Amino acid sequence: MTGRHVWKTSVKQACSLFAILAISIPLAAQAEDRPQDILLNGQAGGAKFEGIGVVEGGGGTGVLLKDYPEPQRSQIMDLVFKPKFGASVSALYVEIPGDGNSTQGSMPSHMHSRDDLNYKRGYIWWEMAQAKKRNPAMSFDGAAWSAPAWVGERSGGSFWSQDTADYYVSWLKGLRSEYGIEMDAMGLRNEKGEDPSFAKMLRHTLDTNGFSSVRLHGYDNWPNDKFNFVAKLEGDAELRDALDILSAHNNLPEGVTSLSVIEGAARMNKALWNTEQHVYKGGFDGLISTVQSFNLNYVKNRFTRVTDWYGIAGLYTMEPYSGEKEATVRANWPWSGHYEINSKLWAYAHYGQFSAIGWTYLNYASGELNQGGSFVTLVSPQKDYSVIIETKDASAPQTVHLTVGGGLSSAPLAVWRSTETEQFIRLADLNAEDGMITVTLEPHAVYTLSTTRGQQKSGFADVPQPTAFPFPYSDNFDAYHQSAKWGYLPRYFADISGAFELTTCPKRSGQCLRQSMPEAPLSWSPDWLPYTIIGDEHWTDYTVSSDVYLEAGETAAILGRINNVGSGYGIIPKGYILRVTGNGDVVLSVIRGKVDKKELVGDAEQQAMIKAGVDTGDGGEKLLGTAHLSHIGGSWHSVKLRFAGQLIIAIVDGKAMITATDATYTTGMAGLLAGHTGDHVSRPFFDNFAVAPNGSKSFPRQTALKAKPMYE
């Protein structure tokens, strides 16, 4: 542990600290009508630039991306990861999947239990491999949001345990052995406080297992006290050695790092990273606000890496944060092959196509423009340079003079600009006159000036038009030959919690879908029950059906008219649920999600249920009917839920068991669910899933596959 870092302030570091203090000082006290002078001195040095990147995680953000047909699936990957093509991001921050809900959904862990290990499960390995295939220099970072229950068994349910450190190492081993990928950095856990002992424990565990090159960052929290731990490092040498990078989640303009934190990081020779920022704005406002955020994260906070949540929106549009304002590319429609580029992608391009990790932020050449806006200057080891400028808050044109020296490239500056009317367009080059380059900047625009070449505004012709989700739809799960090639995931199902995976059927031939998580996880968000959704939020009248196999003491359910899956922090859906238990109980309910009591004023029946404690709080349900079968555990049964206007019918083994009338919801998706009792989570099997018009007598056993397997 000792000897990993030298903690002292050298003359060079002292100069760098002076540069830190200088960047927030106006570069010139000039009258507003005079050009602003900016000196680009190639000998000035500066902090190492460690990339502009995206987060892929925080739930199943990319679960539908894997289901795209070719060539569209590869096109989407090219647009985000391929150098000098689209966004050209240089850093990818991933969630280490942990079975629990982490915002939009859950991803299956590589270790559901202590004695379980599978390095083909899920899609995040595949996405990382695709990114590396396009850019071998991609920097990979990651952390857990949720985690399987077993990692806390020996620590009283705490995530901060030796089991968790070993769990992380096992994931790194799979990434290395199966996919040839090395992590550059790792966080401790996403937005869940801090634990100095765990940081030291994880550092030791990584070092003794051949991962000493993996840098640790912490603590990746977002409240105003997120950097209070920095002061503690100066008195704790072991913790100081454990944390290579000081990191947090930061949104501007409110998130400004204090000078004491910046100075402390410089004294300890620690980089500052923003490991999750949010710019929830669409259109050009999203583009320019993202560039402004990237610039000011360095100018005001000295963050040398920024990763934005999130990259590719491969999820249903019904879900929260579905990509219209958050993502670079919307990949919400795999059944049609349709996808859409958000303007925000070109914000990344203004950085990603003109820089690389290992460049430096040139001292004294980054700051705020006198008449509104900001700029940063990045320099390559070969002395090429790029100046990224935004004028979001400017109200009129302004002129800047760039004086270039100190060995920087003398090549003409290529000029790329984005405005409200056109994004990422190349303009005429700029040449120096008498050692000075003059540029007039329009208000509300983004510019990149660069001596580098080879950039392009890429795209693909003939992107298919969007179509509705196929209806009727069916899947008997038998077409996923060698299910490991598919990551054990059937197409179009999006797990909101738990892990629904392809596996061999019990007591019948072929493959089934099974909820495979054995215990309630250490979930990042308030969790509920394991469930997965599929289909079209606009469906009205239909029958959703599945064969179900479960043991005594277990519960399985089918869902219908699901039109809401929670806020992103809380996942209780709104819709209808038909439960069957291994003991023969059949229960039909309407799920109200998080009940807003204001909605219920004036409804006498619902008010009575509130008083009885039946329909209040998270997960409030209104019971529509019950029935009972003889014991059904250990055998297959057909379960159907039919909607026809306000009429809802529960059918088991061809017999109508419950008939109810309810008008709470008229549209929504379908889904499957597994119940639990205490910490015991049901693990039922599902087969012959179908959604069809009422009265359909026959339809394909499986709607034709278009996507290719992820893992060839």
Side-chain angles (χ1 to χ4, degrees):
M1 295 290 291
T2 57
R4 282 179 50 80
H5 304 294
V6 177
W7 187 43
K8 63 181 181 179
T9 304
S10 64
V11 173
K12 181 177 180 180
Q13 290 168 342
C15 293
S16 296
L17 180 58
F18 176 77
I20 291 170
L21 304 178
I23 60 172
S24 60
I25 299 173
L27 295 177
Q30 305 176 50
E32 287 190 0
D33 58 348
R34 291 186 57 191
Q36 182 171 345
D37 295 318
I38 301 173
L39 175 63
L40 308 184
N41 177 6
Q43 302 300 317
K48 180 182 177 181
F49 171 68
E50 299 210 67
I52 296 295
V54 293
V55 180
E56 288 299 329
T61 49
V63 67
L64 296 183
L65 172 63
K66 66 179 176 22
D67 300 325
Y68 267 78
E70 294 292 353
Q72 287 80 29
R73 190 167 72 177
S74 292
Q75 291 172 0
I76 295 166
M77 292 293 194
D78 287 347
L79 285 165
V80 177
F81 299 117
K82 188 175 180 180
K84 292 191 176 181
F85 190 79
S88 305
V89 299
S90 53
L92 177 59
Y93 186 103
V94 302
E95 176 185 354
I96 297 175
D99 292 339
N101 181 274
S102 300
T103 299
Q104 279 117 332
S106 60
M107 295 190 289
S109 170
H110 67 292
M111 294 182 72
H112 292 315
S113 60
R114 195 180 301 275
D115 57 357
D116 171 58
L117 183 64
N118 192 320
Y119 292 140
K120 292 292 187 182
R121 192 179 285 145
Y123 65 86
I124 203 70
W125 320 93
W126 164 77
E127 189 168 345
M128 295 176 74
Q130 291 295 311
K132 182 178 175 64
K133 176 181 177 181
R134 286 158 175 79
N135 180 6
M138 182 70 63
S139 177
F140 293 103
D141 188 7
W145 273 243
S146 297
W150 67 268
V151 303
E153 286 176 351
R154 297 171 179 170
S155 56
S158 172
F159 176 90
W160 311 110
S161 69
Q162 182 61 55
D163 278 342
T164 302
D166 295 338
Y167 174 73
Y168 273 165
V169 164
S170 71
W171 191 84
L172 292 173
K173 287 179 177 178
L175 191 64
R176 172 184 286 174
S177 63
E178 293 288 331
Y179 306 99
I181 295 175
E182 298 290 332
M183 293 291 280
D184 178 56
M186 283 184 63
L188 304 174
R189 192 185 184 189
N190 179 73
E191 297 180 341
K192 287 295 179 182
E194 59 187 68
D195 189 298
S197 296
F198 180 75
K200 300 170 187 178
M201 180 190 302
L202 181 56
R203 178 72 269 160
H204 176 75
T205 305
L206 291 172
D207 290 348
T208 56
N209 282 275
F211 294 100
S212 59
S213 63
V214 177
R215 295 181 290 168
L216 284 186
H217 58 77
Y219 283 98
D220 304 297
N221 294 309
W222 57 266
N224 291 334
D225 63 355
K226 56 183 173 280
F227 273 129
N228 284 2
F229 72 90
V230 174
K232 303 174 187 176
L233 293 182
E234 303 201 53
D236 189 333
E238 187 179 3
L239 182 60
R240 196 165 60 244
D241 276 351
L243 289 179
D244 302 271
I245 300 150
L246 312 182
S247 59
H249 295 175
N250 192 78
N251 290 327
L252 291 164
E254 63 275 10
V256 177
T257 303
S258 69
L259 184 59
S260 64
V261 170
I262 293 174
E263 291 174 336
R267 281 195 302 272
M268 293 182 286
N269 197 25
K270 306 286 187 186
L272 287 164
W273 284 8
N274 183 353
T275 47
E276 188 178 316
Q277 76 161 13
H278 303 152
V279 180
Y280 295 157
K281 297 180 180 180
F284 178 70
D285 192 27
L287 186 161
I288 195 170
S289 296
T290 299
V291 173
Q292 179 189 55
S293 185
F294 288 158
N295 281 3
L296 295 181
N297 263 288
Y298 178 72
V299 171
K300 291 184 176 293
N301 294 302
R302 291 294 285 183
F303 290 123
T304 55
R305 172 179 289 188
V306 181
T307 46
D308 192 271
W309 191 81
Y310 57 99
I312 301 171
L315 68 162
Y316 285 107
T317 55
M318 182 193 71
E319 297 183 64
Y321 310 109
S322 63
E324 184 178 3
K325 297 179 179 180
E326 302 84 11
T328 59
V329 179
R330 296 187 67 190
N332 306 111
W333 310 274
W335 45 88
S336 65
H338 178 73
Y339 62 87
E340 296 178 0
I341 298 173
N342 281 345
S343 296
K344 190 173 181 178
L345 181 139
W346 304 114
Y348 294 88
H350 272 284
Y351 265 83
Q353 293 203 35
F354 302 92
S355 64
I357 291 175
W359 288 35
T360 58
Y361 284 100
L362 186 62
N363 281 338
Y364 315 111
S366 300
E368 297 183 81
L369 295 171
N370 291 342
Q371 297 182 50
S374 64
F375 64 97
V376 300
T377 303
L378 296 168
V379 179
S380 78
Q382 295 76 34
K383 298 301 182 181
D384 275 310
Y385 65 94
S386 299
V387 185
I388 301 101
I389 305 168
E390 57 80 21
T391 58
K392 183 176 187 292
D393 296 330
S395 58
Q398 56 188 310
T399 300
V400 297
H401 290 161
L402 305 177
T403 302
V404 182
L408 292 178
S409 172
S410 60
L413 284 178
V415 181
W416 290 75
R417 184 186 66 186
S418 291
T419 65
E420 186 81 49
T421 57
E422 54 182 8
Q423 283 86 56
F424 206 65
I425 302 299
R426 185 170 180 180
L427 307 180
D429 289 358
L430 292 174
N431 291 283
E433 294 183 7
D434 299 325
M436 181 181 294
I437 297 172
T438 300
V439 58
T440 299
L441 307 170
E442 298 178 19
H444 210 54
V446 174
Y447 295 86
T448 300
L449 318 177
S450 182
T451 59
T452 64
R453 296 296 185 269
Q455 295 79 16
Q456 57 183 312
K457 183 177 182 178
S458 299
F460 297 94
D462 302 322
V463 175
Q465 292 299 306
T467 60
F469 190 94
F471 184 80
Y473 182 81
S474 60
D475 198 340
N476 65 3
F477 309 114
D478 289 341
Y480 304 96
H481 303 295
Q482 296 179 294
S483 55
K485 291 185 176 183
W486 300 86
Y488 300 93
L489 302 177
R491 64 179 186 157
Y492 305 158
F493 280 90
D495 296 352
I496 305 301
S497 180
F500 290 78
E501 301 173 8
L502 296 166
T503 189
T504 303
C505 292
K507 296 187 179 180
R508 66 167 53 170
S509 62
Q511 292 197 122
C512 293
L513 189 63
R514 187 187 196 190
Q515 196 296 111
S516 301
M517 178 185 69
E519 297 179 86
L522 301 178
S523 185
W524 176 84
S525 74
D527 221 327
W528 186 56
L529 299 170
Y531 73 103
T532 187
I533 60 172
I534 187 171
D536 192 321
E537 63 189 285
H538 302 294
W539 281 343
T540 54
D541 292 350
Y542 59 87
T543 298
V544 54
S545 62
S546 179
D547 293 349
V548 174
Y549 179 97
L550 68 167
E551 299 291 349
E554 292 193 318
T555 299
I558 55 176
L559 308 173
R561 288 186 177 172
I562 298 298
N563 55 86
N564 185 295
V565 293
S567 65
Y569 194 76
I571 62 165
I572 300 170
K574 293 183 178 181
Y576 296 90
I577 178 170
L578 173 59
R579 292 181 174 91
V580 294
T581 74
N583 298 322
D585 295 322
V586 181
V587 182
L588 177 64
S589 302
V590 56
I591 316 170
R592 295 186 51 83
K594 183 174 182 179
V595 174
D596 183 350
K597 293 185 180 181
K598 293 179 182 178
E599 295 179 29
L600 308 180
V601 174
D603 188 318
E605 179 183 359
Q606 291 172 339
Q607 287 294 321
M609 295 184 76
I610 287 176
K611 291 178 181 178
V614 175
D615 193 21
T616 183
D618 288 356
E621 291 186 29
K622 179 181 178 180
L623 183 64
L624 299 180
T626 63
H628 189 77
L629 297 168
S630 60
H631 179 75
I632 65 172
S635 57
W636 284 98
H637 297 271
S638 171
V639 183
K640 296 182 180 181
L641 186 55
R642 179 170 296 161
F643 302 96
Q646 297 182 21
L647 182 64
I648 305 167
I649 304 174
I651 303 167
V652 180
D653 293 334
K655 180 180 178 180
M657 303 294 294
I658 304 169
T659 299
T661 300
D662 187 83
T664 306
Y665 306 116
T666 59
T667 62
M669 300 171 67
L672 302 170
L673 177 143
H676 65 65
T677 303
D679 290 334
H680 173 71
V681 178
S682 297
R683 303 176 68 197
F685 296 82
F686 301 91
D687 197 11
N688 296 325
F689 174 85
V691 183
N694 295 330
S696 290
K697 301 232 182 248
S698 65
F699 42 86
R701 296 270 293 168
Q702 181 164 41
T703 306
L705 292 172
K706 292 183 179 179
K708 293 182 178 180
M710 291 179 285
Y711 305 110
E712 295 292 350

